Amino acid sequence: MCVASRYVGEEKRALAGVLSIRGAQDEEPPDPQLMRLDNMLLAEGVSGPEKGGGASAVAAAAAAAVGGTGNDNSVEHSDYRAKLTQIRQIYHTELEKYEQACNEFTTHVMNLLREQSRTRPISPKEIERMVNIIHRKFSSIQMQLKQSTCEAVMILRSRFLDARRKRRNFNKQATEILNEYFYSHLSNPYPSEEAKEELAKKCSITVSQVSNWFGNKRIRYKKNIGKFQEEANMYAARTAVNAASASAQGSQANSPSTPNSAGSAASFNMSHSGDLFMSVQSLNGDSYPAPQVGANIQSQVDTLRHVISQAGGYTDALAATQLYSPQGINANGVWQDAPTPSSVTSPTEGPGSVQSDTSN
DNA sequence: GAACATGATTCCCA
DNA sequence: TGGGAATCATGTTC
């Protein structure tokens, strides 16, 4: 047998070896990192058969987390899907490119080796080693592609799932309702759970959003009373007007004890809101601890003061400041009637509790 | 695009 | 556990 034919035979065996290598490679225990990436891409619907599964599930979760109107959700949903589809397309295009490049390069190297085999003996081991090197290189590139795709999906997810990113300003009406409550209860702007629920319902937001709003409002009001002065006056005046017209109506109807809480959703009649909450408690059979009534009176006094100052006209800004800014906050920077945590958590506590906001 | 407004989150405390 | 304070991230205004 001539040398050339011997080389050809070896080459055949080498090629057969390469094929067996590829087969063996498939049976190798997969890299756990690669497995994780594959699983995630599959779960997200990026790799594998195209289906709504992962994508729609995440979009639905995002929509649920974000809340808001159905329209918003559907827009976000389609937006999410569109972006995920984009990622999927890029991923598959790149993957195909890499696979093609890998095959082309392997073929090229094999051809080179074939060429060389005419001039020097090439062992199957050498071919196997070369092919292994090529495959390792390409699989590391593939891993990078999968990793960056996963990162892209994670970023996309976080954009849709992170509520902070989805912050939307409350509508004007909701803000008005909250502000009216806040300024009409300036001496003790701590709505109870019932009040929060009531406000949440009226504002079409969640109770925790109401809590957030009051938390932010208290802090920001306290930090910069001057800035909120005008706003405080405006809402106080509005409350006073409401109170005045209501009392006029009340005297006309000769039934002062009928709160007009039926104010449309567009107008949360705060001059009566306290009465409303009082009524709720009253219906529950609870008695009013003295401080609760006191807080209510305080609120009414706030309003009356403003009515008087309005009637007399503001002679100076200081008068208004004295009426509204220090009010509620004592020298220590604490709300006069600020509830202690315990009083907040137990609305039915006896005297000494300042839970009263809602009861006023 | 900077400055400001504002809703949400986090950490800490009582 | 609720609230204060600080901070983040986004929306709005100019």
Side-chain angles (χ1 to χ4, degrees):
Chain A
M1 186 185 284
C2 68
V3 178
S5 66
R6 191 160 55 90
Y7 284 159
V8 169
E10 281 184 3
E11 193 186 320
K12 277 182 181 170
R13 279 196 298 277
L15 285 169
V18 168
L19 290 174
S20 68
I21 288 160
R22 298 202 76 165
Q25 229 179 17
D26 291 342
E27 286 164 19
E28 269 179 17
D31 180 1
Q33 167 76 0
L34 193 63
M35 258 179 75
R36 271 199 296 275
L37 292 171
D38 280 337
N39 285 341
M40 185 186 160
L41 291 173
L42 202 63
E44 296 299 334
V46 174
S47 64
E50 191 163 11
K51 57 180 167 66
S56 62
V58 172
V66 166
T69 66
N71 280 343
D72 286 347
N73 286 351
S74 62
V75 168
E76 281 156 6
H77 189 112
S78 60
D79 201 21
Y80 180 89
R81 287 181 68 107
K83 285 190 164 60
L84 197 70
T85 306
Q86 215 176 333
I87 291 172
R88 185 189 159 88
Q89 277 169 354
I90 292 168
Y91 170 76
H92 282 290
T93 309
E94 292 297 310
L95 201 65
E96 268 175 34
K97 268 191 213 165
Y98 286 136
E99 276 173 1
Q100 199 181 338
C102 181
N103 287 338
E104 279 173 11
F105 194 71
T106 308
T107 311
H108 180 67
V109 169
M110 293 293 287
N111 286 338
L112 283 177
L113 289 173
R114 195 176 290 133
E115 289 284 320
Q116 283 190 11
S117 69
R118 289 176 188 156
T119 55
R120 69 175 178 92
I122 295 173
S123 68
K125 261 216 157 115
E126 195 177 341
I127 296 171
E128 182 184 322
R129 197 171 60 85
M130 288 298 287
V131 171
N132 268 338
I133 290 169
I134 294 166
H135 283 173
R136 267 204 298 274
K137 278 284 167 205
F138 275 92
S139 69
S140 78
I141 292 169
Q142 208 177 54
M143 175 103 93
Q144 278 176 19
L145 171 70
K146 286 180 178 177
Q147 206 151 11
S148 57
T149 306
C150 280
E151 279 169 17
V153 172
M154 291 307 285
I155 290 166
L156 185 66
R157 281 192 70 154
S158 73
R159 277 192 173 280
F160 279 82
L161 290 173
D162 188 351
R164 224 183 233 187
R165 288 179 181 276
K166 299 310 293 179
R167 186 181 77 77
R168 292 277 183 277
N169 288 347
F170 297 157
N171 62 38
K172 225 174 177 180
Q173 185 188 319
T175 310
E176 294 239 322
I177 290 167
L178 294 167
N179 270 318
E180 279 186 23
Y181 187 96
F182 181 82
Y183 288 113
S184 66
H185 297 77
L186 205 48
S187 60
N188 183 32
Y190 296 85
S192 69
E193 284 307 307
E194 291 88 349
K196 282 178 189 172
E197 279 169 24
E198 185 76 25
L199 286 165
K201 212 189 307 178
K202 284 184 184 295
C203 298
S204 305
I205 57 177
T206 65
V207 172
S208 66
Q209 282 179 305
V210 172
S211 297
N212 284 339
W213 189 92
F214 273 89
N216 285 325
K217 189 73 181 180
R218 281 191 298 267
I219 293 274
R220 285 162 186 165
Y221 178 84
K222 208 162 89 173
K223 268 188 181 171
N224 196 349
I225 292 170
K227 200 184 83 178
F228 291 99
Q229 196 58 62
E230 205 177 318
E231 194 178 63
N233 288 338
M234 190 188 81
Y235 281 103
R238 194 180 298 181
T239 306
V241 168
N242 286 342
S245 65
S247 77
Q249 277 179 3
S251 61
Q252 272 180 356
N254 199 20
S255 58
S257 61
T258 49
N260 179 19
S261 59
S264 69
S267 168
F268 188 87
N269 193 339
M270 279 303 164
S271 64
H272 290 145
S273 62
D275 295 339
L276 173 65
F277 296 128
M278 269 179 79
S279 303
V280 170
Q281 283 215 349
S282 179
L283 286 169
N284 288 341
D286 294 340
S287 59
Y288 304 120
Q292 291 185 343
V293 177
N296 180 38
I297 290 169
Q298 176 67 53
S299 163
Q300 298 300 323
V301 168
D302 295 345
T303 303
L304 287 171
R305 274 183 185 162
H306 203 91
V307 171
I308 293 162
S309 69
Q310 289 278 309
Y314 285 112
T315 50
D316 58 36
L318 184 63
T321 306
Q322 283 172 339
L323 275 175
Y324 287 96
S325 64
Q327 162 199 321
I329 303 172
N330 66 22
N332 297 323
V334 178
W335 300 93
Q336 280 168 12
D337 297 332
T340 60
S342 58
S343 71
V344 170
T345 51
S346 47
T348 52
E349 271 181 8
S353 158
V354 216
Q355 177 53 29
S356 59
D357 220 334
T358 50
S359 59
N360 66 15

